[in-house]
Amino acid sequence: MHVISYSVSSYEIPYFQSENRFNHTFEFIEESLNARSIEKIKKADAICCFVTDTLDCFVLERLKQRNIKLIALRSAGFDHVDVKSAHELGLTVVRVPDYSPQAVAEFAVALMLALTRKIMRAHTRIRQYNFSLEGQVGMNIYGKTIGIIGTGRIGSVFARILAGFDCTLLAYDLIENDACKALGVTYVTKEVLLQTSDIISLHCPLTAQTQYIINEKELSMMKEGVILINTGRGALINTQALIHALINKKIGALGLDVYEHENNLFFADRSDDIILDEQFVRLQSFSNVLLTGHQAFLTKEAIQNIISTTLENISFFEKGIVKNFV
Ligand code: NAD
């Protein structure tokens, strides 16, 4: 099949080449797909998209007009796709649901440890030959209560890693995961999790039900000095409420790999730009906030799995089989 691939980063191209056992041909486009770039689209059988691509009704209709049959997502999350419109238009959307839950879970642990042991400030100080330990007192994970919201693929790996820290593991999910229960995870209500956890990590998808699952009310229920980690999706948390909770010192430390308004910000070098996103700039101003640019998935193992599964998904579709359907 001839595939146009959007939002392609240079680190992906070698994997497209090494994993292409199927003789698909690819056109790589660095730009993301949106209402403007869709007008330039050339003839293709399928398009291949990342989380930065906009797949709303307008774009989907134009893809349909251009005879595109398949949208192969290079991501697990699909909250950037208007799935209802895609189905109504008869467009097939496939994704990579399980490329490396370890990559994301390990990154969430990395954010957690960097915050509990103040690694960012230690690094900055040492570079300036400041060896003072003032303000560097950290916190053990051992003996603490960790709350996990969403115990699917990533949340359950996160629980397995955390089990080694000898802490109490609480979880909130619509579906209880037996593997987590076997690790000693206790399922509780969202309220109990919020009220009793020292550290809370979010691992549920962004849906209409989970948007702002952490809002003003939920933040007010949390323990003073709680550590909050989000590697799920930015809009799981209301950023304005989060900023208030940081100002009020309700939140002791915050680790975000995803940000509510990341779409026009992340995945590009903006070091020469004037950043107009006031909320992001405000978040940056807190010394107890660690922000990363949606890179929790980014390991070589994960990229290889993402590209290889994407190529397989395209090949199955070519043979009339739909795998990893959204
Ligand atoms: P998954 O589908 O395996 O697990 C999600 C879990 O959330 C499920 O157990 C589900 O029951 C639960 N859930 C759904 N709605 C809920 C609700 N209203 N309340 C509580 N729990 C709810 O998904 P996964 O593979 O573990 O991925 C989780 C999310 O992580 C993805 O949807 C994606 O948004 C995000 N993600 C982020 C990155 C990154 O680089 N930062 C990479 C991959 C995935």
Side-chain angles (χ1 to χ4, degrees), residues 130-229:
N130 173 358
F131 302 103
S132 164
L133 294 182
E134 289 300 326
Q136 281 302 97
V137 178
M139 179 184 100
N140 282 8
I141 307 291
Y142 170 76
K144 295 297 183 300
T145 299
I146 318 293
I148 308 166
I149 299 186
T151 51
R153 296 176 188 88
I154 296 168
S156 61
V157 174
F158 181 79
R160 201 178 323 137
I161 299 170
L162 264 286
F165 281 83
D166 248 336
C167 47
T168 301
L169 294 174
L170 301 181
Y172 168 66
D173 197 311
L174 306 178
I175 304 158
E176 297 189 0
N177 181 330
D178 288 340
C180 287
K181 285 204 228 168
L183 286 168
V185 174
T186 306
Y187 281 88
V188 292
T189 61
K190 186 173 83 174
E191 288 69 27
V192 169
L193 184 146
L194 297 174
Q195 286 160 357
T196 51
S197 299
D198 300 295
I199 298 172
I200 298 171
S201 193
L202 306 183
H203 299 287
C204 56
L206 177 62
T207 63
Q209 291 72 41
T210 62
Q211 182 174 15
Y212 292 172
I213 195 167
I214 302 298
N215 209 331
E216 206 175 329
K217 180 170 134 236
E218 287 74 21
L219 288 160
S220 73
M221 293 168 94
M222 293 180 191
K223 278 182 162 182
E224 293 294 319
V226 64
I227 295 179
L228 183 59
I229 310 289

Side-chain angles (χ1 to χ4, degrees), residues 39 48 51 147 269 311:
E39 300 305 338
C48 181
V51 293
D269 180 358
L311 291 166

Side-chain angles (χ1 to χ4, degrees), residues 300-325:
K300 55 187 186 213
E301 294 84 357
I303 301 165
Q304 183 171 7
N305 283 340
I306 290 170
I307 305 295
S308 121
T309 308
T310 300
L311 291 166
E312 260 172 37
N313 285 344
I314 296 168
S315 298
F316 273 116
F317 179 81
E318 199 173 21
K319 291 181 199 148
I321 305 161
V322 181
K323 258 190 97 182
N324 297 321
F325 183 59

Side-chain angles (χ1 to χ4, degrees), residues 214-216 219 237-246 251 279:
I214 302 298
N215 209 331
E216 206 175 329
L219 288 160
I237 307 180
N238 179 339
T239 310
Q240 197 50 55
L242 188 60
I243 290 169
H244 283 138
L246 282 159
I251 293 183
Q279 289 190 335

